Amino acid sequence: MLLALAGHAAAGVMTRAGIQKALPPPLTVGERDAQLPVWPIFKQDATTTVLAGYVFESIDFAPIPGFSGTPFNLLVALDPKGTFLEVRVLSHHEPVFLEGLGEGPLFRFADQYRGLSLQQNIKIGSNANRGEQSSSANVYIDGVAKATASVRILNQSLLSSALRVARARLGFAAGQDPDRVARVRQDTYSPMNWEALLKAGLVSHVRITQGMVDKAFDGSGVEQPAAGHENDTFSDVYIAWLSAPPVGRNLMSDAGWKHLLGRIDEGDHAFLVIASGPYTFVGDRFVRGAVPDRLTLKQNELPLELRDLDLDEPLALPASLRGADAKVFRVIGPAGLDPTHALDFALRVTREKGIVYPERIARSFALRYTLPAEQVTMPASDDKGWQGIWRARAWELAVLAAALAWLTVVLARPKWIVATPARLARFRTGYLVFTLVFIGWFAQGQLSIVNITAVVQAVASGRDLGFLLYDPMTVVLWAFVALTLLVWGRGTFCGWLCPFGALQELLAQAARFAGVRRIRLHRELDAKLKRVKYGVLAVIVGLAVMSPAWSDRAVEVEPFKTAITLGFVRSWPFVAWAAGWLLAGAFVYKGFCRYLCPLGAGLGLLGRVRLLRWIPRRSECGTPCQTCRHRCEYQAIRPTGTIVYEECFQCLDCVAIHDSAQRCAPLIAKERDRVIPIRPLPVAAGSRT
């Protein structure tokens, strides 16, 4: 289910008028693009109107479902260089921001993107990360505590949609994130002369002859120049990846190499282009520091900008090339140039046809360059997707996996734990503290009915379920719960792994220690109240399909978010609701879990597929023995002795009683009925009989 894919059913909602209100003067919004759901925005520059960028909605390009199953929709404005002019949240259904933290932290998080650029590697961090050098390509923005998964999905939605627009309208690479592109290795330097560089493929050479050019213009009507020999050189071009250490360090002095590295940013590339002959890439109108008009570069059919670095460092070139035109051009990192793919340079030759109003006709001559594979390293990771989140939380997942493995062993082979009441009590209390503190408050692994409604809403609207992968703790816990539902039923989660349930039980233990007497409801009233949670579940799931907005409100019946996710940092009605149920649990044992919890109801229904009746029973259980039923705090044992597994919390108390010769009535009766043979005492030596 986690890997299922479905078509997107999302679309933008903004109109031109609405966008104009969001982007006040001096910006003006043009007509929507006919091919792409973007609007150009313009600004007045003296007497001319210039393009200021593009504005779009993220949901049109990257409808990544949020934690609730519904995608964020962001209004995003990019300038021509990929800088964010505006990032605004138009809509969302994130539970933690709707009634939890409030929307203020979400809006402040989005505001941080304004002024940042796709040329930067934007990472979610904290102020502690901001000791980076000002020249670094990395920029850190503050996350939101208690909402890590939600803000990461927003970040992914923003960057994915912005890169798609940048690729299509700003000339960036084909949607490639700078972190996902291969890199030129920096550890491959070895001394090499010019001939060795040519032989190794680090320098590419193309010779264009006069005959090749004349043939290209045949049939164009262009008047050919004075005839020369077709084998004469028209242009002799060499291309080298100057920022690759084997090239740059061999062709430049140490000072020149350091100067080059100081002129380019991390992820940028520098190329040396040399041309000799009657025609070179340096035309009459070439300006230092500008983009050449005769030389172009494409990769995978995507144009990439070459810009002169205006570098005059001496180069170790052969004598035949020392008088040739030589320039160093830069391609910026965010353009997405991938060193593993071929580069298609082209030398553009232009000729004129006609005299009065001459027509310019151009032909391009391919100059392909491929960096040898041994000079390239693939990216080690992609920390912007869900894979990076899993790697970042590896140690937390390892702790959780170890705890789940230990719990599995205990539940599968409980005899050692239940051997004495004290041992079971110590183990259970210790594990509940771990569940509350580590799984709940620290790792934010509280499963919720929201997880179920999110899946229902995603399936109903035809969205994929990949959003689940952004919360690895939840995924692992749900996987474990799914397996244990098949084996033991609902009790494994509700009795051992629910942080709110653990909090209720620990407070109930404290109340009993303080002398508070518990109220045990009559079994008929208890049975009726237990049906309420199934009605609550039905209402919430129905609203998830018919009215997601009301579903977002209905799930607040769970106090999990207030007590666990937000640590009671919330408005008073929600705190009062959660505190009220915790207080009630001191008198009616785990009342919320037993009578109102919609997640418990869902697990109870799913748990009906369990494979085992794992709690041992005797023929005397229920007739006549009622010990386990009277001791069961959850009232999950019928008078007949039958276990109601849908209401069992797997506390192991009845298992401990069943195995105890001091607590199990049938075992005690058997011990009393056992005939003890009378044997004479042994006679001591020297005594009288």
Side-chain angles (χ1 to χ4, degrees):
M1 184 174 65
L2 295 179
L3 300 177
L5 296 177
H8 298 304
V13 297
M14 294 294 286
T15 62
R16 181 183 178 187
I19 293 176
Q20 185 63 75
K21 289 181 180 179
L23 300 175
L27 298 176
T28 59
V29 181
E31 294 293 338
R32 177 170 165 147
D33 192 291
Q35 299 176 335
L36 204 68
V38 300
W39 286 264
I41 48 179
F42 303 93
K43 64 180 179 180
Q44 197 70 22
D45 185 7
T47 59
T48 62
T49 301
V50 298
L51 179 69
Y54 292 92
V55 62
F56 56 92
E57 294 176 69
S58 65
I59 203 168
D60 286 322
F61 297 94
I64 301 172
F67 191 68
S68 67
T70 302
F72 281 96
N73 191 19
L74 310 172
L75 183 69
V76 185
L78 280 176
D79 77 3
K81 294 184 178 180
T83 299
F84 291 106
L85 299 175
E86 180 68 50
V87 176
R88 184 176 302 183
V89 179
L90 295 177
S91 65
H92 72 95
H93 291 268
E94 298 305 285
V96 71
F97 292 119
L98 289 173
E99 296 292 349
L101 300 172
E103 294 183 313
L106 176 64
F107 297 154
R108 290 192 292 273
F109 175 79
D111 287 342
Q112 295 179 91
Y113 289 95
R114 192 179 296 116
L116 301 183
S117 172
L118 285 173
Q119 298 184 24
Q120 297 166 303
N121 185 21
I122 301 173
K123 293 185 177 180
I124 300 174
S126 65
N127 287 325
N129 298 118
R130 299 193 177 169
E132 303 284 338
Q133 296 180 358
S134 59
S135 60
S136 174
N138 297 331
V139 60
Y140 293 92
I141 60 176
D142 291 326
V144 179
K146 311 294 185 182
T148 303
S150 293
V151 297
R152 284 186 181 275
I153 294 171
L154 184 151
N155 184 66
Q156 184 75 3
S157 302
L158 174 64
L159 296 181
S160 297
S161 59
L163 282 167
R164 289 190 62 185
V165 173
R167 172 201 63 192
R169 288 294 176 268
L170 305 182
F172 281 54
Q176 292 173 307
D177 191 305
D179 280 348
R180 301 177 187 177
V181 176
R183 303 286 180 175
V184 177
R185 291 179 59 178
Q186 300 300 307
D187 59 351
T188 56
Y189 168 73
S190 62
M192 303 173 75
N193 59 22
W194 180 258
E195 294 300 324
L197 291 172
L198 277 168
K199 186 177 180 180
L202 292 165
V203 175
S204 178
H205 174 221
V206 176
R207 178 174 173 267
I208 303 172
T209 65
Q210 184 67 51
M212 294 167 61
V213 177
D214 293 343
K215 185 176 180 179
F217 282 97
D218 281 349
S220 64
V222 172
E223 183 178 351
Q224 301 286 10
H229 197 281
E230 64 179 11
N231 288 327
D232 289 349
T233 297
F234 180 81
S235 187
D236 207 15
V237 183
Y238 295 85
I239 299 173
W241 205 306
L242 194 63
S243 54
V247 179
R249 292 183 61 184
N250 280 303
L251 296 183
M252 308 177 77
S253 65
D254 289 343
W257 172 249
K258 291 178 181 179
H259 184 207
L260 171 66
L261 297 181
R263 292 288 305 279
I264 61 176
D265 295 327
E266 182 181 355
D268 290 358
H269 306 278
F271 295 94
L272 171 65
V273 182
I274 306 170
S276 61
Y279 189 90
T280 75
F281 59 87
V282 180
D284 296 335
R285 294 181 295 177
F286 180 80
V287 178
R288 295 171 70 94
V291 176
D293 57 353
R294 290 184 179 180
L295 186 68
T296 62
L297 171 61
K298 286 185 177 182
Q299 187 176 60
N300 299 327
E301 300 301 319
L302 179 70
L304 301 176
E305 183 186 82
L306 287 169
R307 185 170 293 274
D308 177 39
L309 262 179
D310 193 15
L311 204 66
D312 287 326
E313 296 293 332
L315 300 169
L317 300 177
S320 59
L321 293 177
R322 287 176 186 166
D325 288 327
K327 297 291 181 185
V328 179
F329 296 97
R330 179 177 67 172
V331 175
I332 62 173
L337 186 150
D338 192 335
T340 60
H341 296 170
L343 301 176
D344 294 313
F345 290 87
L347 183 65
R348 191 175 183 85
V349 179
T350 304
R351 289 182 176 176
E352 295 183 351
K353 179 175 68 174
I355 300 176
V356 180
Y357 297 104
E359 177 186 355
R360 298 173 66 85
I361 297 177
R363 297 288 185 268
S364 293
F365 296 87
L367 313 166
R368 173 159 282 209
Y369 181 96
T370 303
L371 189 66
E374 63 270 16
Q375 302 296 327
V376 177
T377 180
M378 299 304 295
S381 65
D382 169 20
D383 290 331
K384 291 184 179 178
W386 61 264
Q387 299 93 335
I389 299 174
W390 283 67
R391 282 189 290 269
R393 304 190 70 179
W395 77 267
E396 298 174 31
L397 294 172
V399 171
L400 178 63
L404 296 179
W406 178 230
L407 180 62
T408 302
V409 172
V410 168
L411 297 181
R413 296 288 185 270
K415 285 190 175 183
W416 180 82
I417 291 294
V418 302
T420 66
R423 184 181 296 169
L424 175 59
R426 285 195 299 268
F427 176 78
R428 182 162 177 79
T429 300
Y431 205 95
L432 291 177
V433 170
F434 168 81
T435 295
L436 174 62
V437 176
F438 180 80
I439 296 180
W441 286 332
F442 178 77
Q444 296 288 289
Q446 172 72 67
L447 300 189
S448 167
I449 190 62
V450 172
N451 306 135
I452 295 177
T453 58
V455 171
V456 171
Q457 290 175 1
V459 172
S461 59
R463 295 189 296 269
D464 65 70
L465 302 176
F467 67 94
L468 297 173
L469 297 175
Y470 284 84
D471 191 358
M473 296 295 290
T474 299
V475 172
V476 172
L477 281 169
W478 270 115
F480 183 78
V481 169
L483 291 175
T484 55
L485 280 173
L486 290 173
V487 180
W488 295 303
R490 164 196 181 184
T492 307
F493 172 75
C494 293
W496 295 92
L497 296 172
C498 177
F500 186 78
L503 179 58
Q504 282 188 101
E505 187 163 339
L506 292 171
L507 290 177
Q509 290 180 15
R512 172 167 282 190
F513 182 79
V516 177
R517 292 187 60 185
R518 290 183 188 160
I519 301 172
R520 188 179 180 93
L521 302 182
H522 189 277
R523 59 185 177 85
E524 292 183 0
L525 177 59
D526 172 75
K528 290 178 180 178
L529 290 177
K530 284 175 177 175
R531 297 172 190 161
V532 174
K533 61 179 176 288
Y534 295 101
V536 175
L537 172 66
V539 170
I540 291 176
V541 172
L543 289 174
V545 176
M546 296 181 293
S547 177
W550 276 101
S551 175
D552 294 338
R553 298 182 178 92
V555 296
E556 291 297 338
V557 70
E558 284 185 338
F560 302 169
K561 187 195 312 180
T562 300
I564 305 301
T565 306
L566 301 176
F568 294 98
V569 181
R570 208 174 183 192
S571 57
W572 74 264
F574 298 99
V575 174
W577 176 255
W581 277 108
L582 292 173
L583 179 62
F587 298 94
V588 180
Y589 191 65
K590 297 183 78 166
F592 178 82
C593 301
R594 294 161 61 192
Y595 303 130
L596 198 62
C597 180
L599 178 62
L603 294 178
L605 293 175
L606 295 173
R608 291 177 179 271
V609 301
R610 76 185 184 287
L611 303 177
L612 303 177
R613 291 181 176 270
W614 59 274
I615 299 177
R617 299 279 84 194
R618 289 189 172 89
S619 59
E620 297 90 345
C621 293
T623 308
C625 182
Q626 297 287 316
T627 302
C628 290
R629 184 173 76 87
H630 290 310
R631 297 290 180 85
C632 181
E633 299 279 9
Y634 304 97
Q635 296 180 248
I637 303 177
R638 294 192 177 101
T640 60
T642 305
I643 304 297
V644 184
Y645 283 94
E646 291 76 22
E647 303 299 335
C648 173
F649 282 61
Q650 207 167 356
C651 65
L652 301 181
D653 283 346
C654 60
V655 177
I657 294 172
H658 179 276
D659 293 346
S660 173
Q662 290 76 40
R663 302 168 67 193
C664 177
L667 290 182
I668 294 172
K670 287 181 181 179
E671 184 67 22
R672 287 176 179 174
D673 294 340
R674 186 165 63 90
V675 176
I676 303 175
I678 300 175
R679 297 190 181 98
L681 291 172
V683 179
S687 65
R688 295 181 179 179
T689 57

